[in-house]
Each structure stands twice: as C-alpha cells, then as structure tokens.
Amino acid sequence: MDLPAEMQLLVRRMQIGKIWLPANLALAPMAGVSDLAFRRICHRMGAGLTVTELVSARGLVHDPSLDRSWRFLSIDPQAGPMGIQLFGSEPADFSTAICTIMEHPVLRHCSLIDINMGCPVKKVVSAQAGSALMRDPDRAAAIVRAAVRTAGQAGKPVTVKIRSGWDASSVNAEQFACRMEEAGAAALTVHARTRDQFYSGQAEWSVIEAVCRAVTIPVFGNGDVWTADDAFRMLRQTGAAGVMVGRGAQGNPWIFRQIRESQVASDGSDRYTHQGRQPGLEERIALIIEHMDSLIQQLGERTAIKEMRRHFSWYVKGQHGAAHLRMAGMKAGTRQELLQVLEDWRNGTIKYCENS
Ligand SMILES: Cc1cc2nc3c(=O)[nH]c(=O)nc-3n(C[C@H](O)[C@H](O)[C@H](O)COP(=O)(O)O)c2cc1C
C-alpha cells in the first residue's frame, strides 16, 4: 500500500534507548500466559516487543544457575525483541539478578530489562514490590538507578511498568513517571488502573495522556485494548508512543496482525484502513498445533499439554461449540489426544452443546 510521505502513521518503528523496535506494539507480560511459545507467535503476528512474565530478582540471586526460573525467563532473540521483567524491592537484588542475566549466553541477548511496579497481588505487594513501589517513590527510584547502572554496562535499556496509582485517592502516575525518568528509565508502560482495581472496571486512558505530557521518554499505553480500533483510539487519544496489549491477545495473537493491517494515520483519516485479516478455522487449528509443539519442545509433553489447556480455551472462545470444545480440550492429556480434538473440530464431529 503506497502512502503519501507526509502521512504520520500510528503504527511505526519505535526507539527505546539505543534499541529499535520494528513496531510500537507490545505483548504485555502476563504470568501463565506469556510463555516463550506464545511470545514467538506474537512476534510472527506483528508485535514489536514481547516481555516475559514477572520473575523475582531475589529468586535469581538465590538461583544463579537459573534452574527454577529458566522456564519463565527464556527468550528467543531470533523471534524479535524480547524483554525480561523482574520484580522485587531491594536495589541490590536487581543489580545481582541483572548481572546473572547479562552473563548468561542466551539471556544476555534480551532487548531490555523491565521492572514491575504494577503487580497488585497481595504476596508481592506485602513484600514492598510490584504496585507497592508506587507508594514508595524513593525506593522505586533507587531500584531503577541500580538496574540502569548494571544493565547500562551491557547497553540494555531499563523500562518500568506502572499503574495509575495505588487507589482512587492516590493517583500519582504523573509524578511517579517523572521520578522514574529522572532515575534513568528509558521507557514506561502505564496500565491505567489503580492497584485497588486489579483488572476490573474501565482503564482510565486520561492518566496515560497525562503521563505522556509529563515525560520525554516513550510511553506504552496499556489497559483495555481489545481490538485494532481500540489500539488506534488509544494512540490518538493519549499521544502514547506505543500500545501494549494484554488480555486482548489471549487466544488472539492475530490482534497484532489486525492492527498492522488496518493502518490508520494520526490525523484520524481512515482512507487507508482496511479490516485486518481474521483467522479462518484452518489457520486457527494450525496455530494451536504450533503453540502446542513449541511448548512440548520446551517443557516436555506432560507439562506442555497442561499449560496448553488454558491457551486452548482462549483459542476456541467465541467459536461455534466453544463450551464443548473447551471440555474436550480439558480432557486431553497427550499431544495425540489434543490433535484428535482438533481433528473432530475440523470434521464437525465434536458434539456441540446447544447453548455453547
Ligand atoms: C493473567 C495475567 C497475568 C499478568 N501478569 C503480569 C506480569 O507478570 N507482569 C506485569 O507487569 N503485568 C502482568 N499482568 C498485567 C498485564 O500486563 C496488563 O497490564 C493488564 O492485563 C492490563 O492490560 P489489558 O487490559 O490489555 O489486559 C497480568 C495480567 C493478567 C490478566
């Protein structure tokens, strides 16, 4: 598609520190979702950045051989820019953990280190980590400084993922973001919900807009991007440099392709818009098999099929007979059994519930 040179496209390359992302679209870090297989698929579909789920910095200090964390940390630099997300509360833990990462033959090829300051889970916040750091900007800044010092030696940018604030009465994303920039963060992600909201309610995109105005580093807007349209609205309304997609990508990595294929100009003109391709049944099935086989290669069949059940129910969500398919998928314990479910789906021989 030829576009006039003066047209500012909303989906474009994006720079973080010294690294260039091929697109300003990121897959959100999601525990239990963003496994390596899924991150690879999202890159193939057009994500410009993916990030591992949160991994404890303290955990890495106690497990320098990475035996326990390897599964969550693993990256494939050939697939596209992958970041590693760490959480914790002690600056020294981040220095040690990042040293371990930078000395590792594969992990040192990660594109960036992301620091989690948004996790709402009680166990994490009661250890002063995750979103609890938004109530302790001095500690948060010390963590970023320590991380930047260590990661900087390896030329890796440090990014920070925050929320709007702790609760409705303490929304401080703007001031907090400025502190993170001063401390050396190369980019930010703003999940526009407070800790108190967890994942409920509507994300308040005006907070993203305020942060974008307050800092000079690039900002990923995050929260409630479910469709390509949402992505364009977020980019236009907030002025964010990029969009990070979480739950909207679960079972739907095609969202990245749809966003890239429905390119829209920043002036709102939709002259060049066309609907991104929706996957057909064969493509959906092929992708499920690809995901399963990639997980098996990494984790072995038993664990992979267990992990795959969750993804499977997202992949079939909204499809004809989803409830029945989901039940059949849950019962599958081996690759062969899951392949059979897919085959029955293809042949229409899955028994469909009336109201599924
Ligand atoms: C199952 C699940 C796991 C998550 N795990 C993480 C995580 O490990 N690190 C993190 O920074 N955010 C995590 N998040 C938050 C997402 O990255 C994202 O900020 C949030 O889902 C809002 O974006 P969305 O509305 O596009 O889903 C998780 C969210 C979900 C639903």
Side-chain angles (χ1 to χ4, degrees):
M1 209 174 352
D2 288 333
L3 298 172
E6 71 275 11
M7 233 168 151
Q8 266 278 32
L9 294 175
L10 284 169
V11 177
R12 47 184 170 238
R13 286 181 352 124
M14 175 173 170
Q15 189 172 16
I16 298 181
K18 288 188 188 133
I19 67 153
W20 276 95
L21 307 180
N24 52 351
L25 308 174
L27 172 71
M30 284 181 286
V33 184
S34 323
D35 48 59
L36 177 59
F38 190 59
R39 280 179 277 132
R40 279 190 178 123
I41 287 170
C42 288
H43 276 294
R44 192 158 59 67
M45 290 295 163
L49 174 71
T50 61
V51 184
T52 66
E53 66 181 71
L54 79 177
V55 174
S56 161
R58 173 66 59 90
L60 293 194
V61 173
H62 292 304
D63 176 30
S65 59
L66 306 180
D67 286 342
R68 283 190 302 269
S69 341
W70 173 247
R71 175 180 152 185
F72 308 108
L73 281 171
S74 25
I75 56 162
D76 174 4
Q78 306 297 326
M82 290 190 179
I84 292 177
Q85 190 186 65
L86 298 175
F87 76 98
S89 59
E90 289 303 324
D93 289 346
F94 283 84
S95 304
T96 310
I98 294 170
C99 273
T100 303
I101 290 168
M102 295 309 160
E103 283 165 7
H104 189 276
V106 177
L107 298 186
R108 69 193 171 86
H109 295 294
C110 70
S111 295
L112 52 85
I113 300 291
D114 187 52
I115 302 180
N116 181 310
M117 301 199 187
C119 180
V121 172
K122 197 159 174 218
K123 197 170 144 202
V124 171
V125 296
S126 58
Q128 312 308 318
S131 53
L133 288 167
M134 292 201 67
R135 298 209 286 188
D136 192 350
D138 290 339
R139 180 185 285 273
I143 288 173
V144 173
R145 281 194 300 272
V148 168
R149 222 176 295 125
T150 321
Q153 286 165 9
K156 307 287 180 187
V158 171
T159 59
V160 182
K161 185 162 178 284
I162 67 174
R163 283 187 173 240
S164 301
W166 181 261
D167 60 21
S169 67
S170 59
V171 170
N172 64 342
E174 222 177 306
Q175 307 88 300
F176 191 84
C178 293
R179 287 293 303 273
M180 298 302 101
E181 179 174 21
E182 270 167 36
L188 297 168
T189 300
V190 182
H191 174 196
R193 281 190 179 82
T194 61
R195 185 269 172 178
D196 262 13
Q197 286 179 286
F198 278 68
Y199 300 102
S200 67
Q202 189 76 20
E204 184 58 70
W205 289 0
S206 59
V207 176
I208 300 170
E209 186 186 354
V211 170
C212 291
R213 286 222 184 93
V215 298
T216 62
I217 51 178
V219 173
F220 280 103
N222 172 238
D224 288 341
V225 171
W226 302 97
T227 63
D229 247 26
D230 293 338
F232 293 120
R233 259 191 323 111
M234 178 184 271
L235 287 168
R236 225 186 278 125
Q237 276 179 24
T238 66
V243 167
M244 181 176 271
V245 186
R247 291 161 299 167
Q250 287 175 351
N252 184 25
W254 295 279
I255 191 170
F256 295 108
R257 185 172 82 186
Q258 283 156 0
I259 298 171
R260 289 187 78 154
E261 287 185 351
S262 356
Q263 183 59 276
V264 172
S266 55
D267 61 5
S269 119
D270 57 3
R271 267 187 306 152
Y272 298 92
T273 307
H274 66 96
Q275 287 291 314
R277 265 173 300 155
Q278 299 282 344
L281 178 64
E282 283 308 321
E283 189 182 1
R284 194 173 285 274
I285 289 177
L287 191 122
I288 294 172
I289 296 173
E290 174 188 347
H291 196 155
M292 170 178 72
D293 284 344
S294 179
L295 276 177
I296 290 175
Q297 199 184 20
Q298 195 197 356
L299 305 173
E301 184 168 349
R302 216 179 125 89
T303 312
I305 298 297
K306 257 198 216 151
E307 292 289 312
M308 194 60 204
R309 287 185 191 141
R310 210 172 27 246
H311 289 287
F312 183 78
S313 51
W314 289 319
Y315 281 126
V316 301
K317 196 171 165 196
Q319 300 296 301
H320 176 60
H324 225 91
L325 274 166
R326 206 165 32 243
M327 264 158 44
M330 286 295 166
K331 282 194 204 135
T334 63
R335 178 179 191 273
Q336 202 45 50
E337 285 168 8
L338 197 53
L339 285 177
Q340 188 58 55
V341 174
L342 295 173
E343 192 52 32
D344 293 345
W345 185 15
R346 178 185 281 127
N347 297 334
T349 49
I350 288 262
K351 286 188 224 82
Y352 293 122
C353 295
E354 271 308 300
N355 54 358
S356 71

